[in-house]
Amino acid sequence: MVVMPGGPRYISVALVLALAGCGSGALTAPTDAVVTTTTGTAAHDTTTAHEKTTTTTKRQYGWFLPEGPTSPTTNEDALYRRLLAKACGEAQQELDRTWSGLLTPRNAPLYQAAVDLCRGDVSGARVMLAKATALGLQMRQGAGGSAAVDCAVLKAVRSVVDQVAQESVRCTPGTPPKWPTDDPFAKDDPRTDVVEGTTTTTTTTRTTTRTTTTTVPST
């Protein structure tokens, strides 16, 4: 208790202490400003394209005829010699002149395919090979035929058209297709769709005899 001058006045010590604390901030609770900062990490998926170059060497099969095969005394052998010498123009002339004398009609488009490849015409050779295949690729083995050069030509043609090794092409043994006639003027060129053979038309004339009988009355 505190005694004030001029009379007994009583002031509570607790009040004094309370007044002394005013404005000092001692009784003010501190305020903490909590700032929460969220840092986000953006994930970016970056795909890097790695290009890999693979170099593949592909073998190209070009036109080639072996020198070994022979089929003497045949038109096929004469054609083969010209093709072997790469005399493409002469081979074409020979084929145009002797196609009807080949041992089998199949050989006309087969050797035409060879002439086409000799000139570098793969598309034409493919068409001719299809015609030869449709007629039949059987070849009679042995002496007296043209199977030796025919087989070599077939292997060379198929090698370029189908892009395969000649060693993988097999020649089929058997009876080759035959000409429908032995008359060279009646044969059709298997290389074309035109009918070149001679057509004979027989006209039959029918004669009718009419007999007229006249009856004369008797007298």
Side-chain angles (χ1 to χ4, degrees):
M1 178 181 295
V2 179
V3 179
M4 300 297 292
R9 295 182 181 179
Y10 303 94
I11 301 174
S12 172
V13 176
L15 178 60
V16 174
L17 293 175
L19 293 174
C22 290
S24 65
L27 301 180
T28 303
T31 303
D32 296 328
V34 179
V35 179
T36 304
T37 304
T38 303
T39 303
T41 302
H44 298 282
D45 293 333
T46 303
T47 302
T48 303
H50 297 281
E51 294 183 359
K52 183 179 180 181
T53 302
T54 303
T55 302
T56 303
T57 302
K58 184 178 180 181
R59 185 174 182 181
Q60 297 292 325
Y61 294 94
W63 175 246
F64 169 76
L65 279 177
E67 295 185 6
T70 58
S71 296
T73 69
T74 64
N75 290 321
E76 283 85 348
D77 192 79
L79 285 167
Y80 193 88
R81 300 305 131 199
R82 285 165 174 76
L83 289 168
L84 191 60
K86 297 182 180 179
C88 311
E90 293 180 13
Q92 184 67 71
Q93 293 175 3
E94 181 74 13
L95 180 58
D96 291 341
R97 184 177 64 85
T98 64
W99 65 265
S100 62
L102 299 176
L103 296 182
T104 168
R106 182 268 324 284
N107 283 351
L110 178 60
Y111 280 79
Q112 183 62 60
V115 173
D116 289 342
L117 290 178
C118 182
R119 291 172 166 172
D121 183 6
V122 179
S123 298
R126 183 174 287 107
V127 173
M128 288 296 117
L129 177 59
K131 288 179 178 291
T133 303
L135 289 171
L137 296 177
Q138 297 82 3
M139 299 179 183
R140 180 182 289 111
Q141 307 297 325
S146 60
V149 290
D150 294 349
C151 184
V153 168
L154 176 62
K155 287 185 175 184
V157 170
R158 285 279 306 276
S159 177
V160 179
V161 172
D162 297 338
Q163 282 299 291
V164 295
Q166 290 193 21
E167 295 78 13
S168 67
V169 180
R170 297 290 180 265
C171 296
T172 305
T175 303
K178 297 180 179 180
W179 290 101
T181 177
D182 292 331
D183 184 358
F185 297 102
K187 293 179 179 179
D188 292 329
D189 190 342
R191 298 174 297 172
T192 70
D193 297 326
V194 179
V195 178
E196 293 90 358
T198 303
T199 303
T200 303
T201 303
T202 303
T203 303
T204 303
T205 303
R206 177 178 296 176
T207 303
T208 303
T209 303
R210 177 177 297 178
T211 303
T212 303
T213 304
T214 303
T215 303
V216 179
S218 57
T219 55

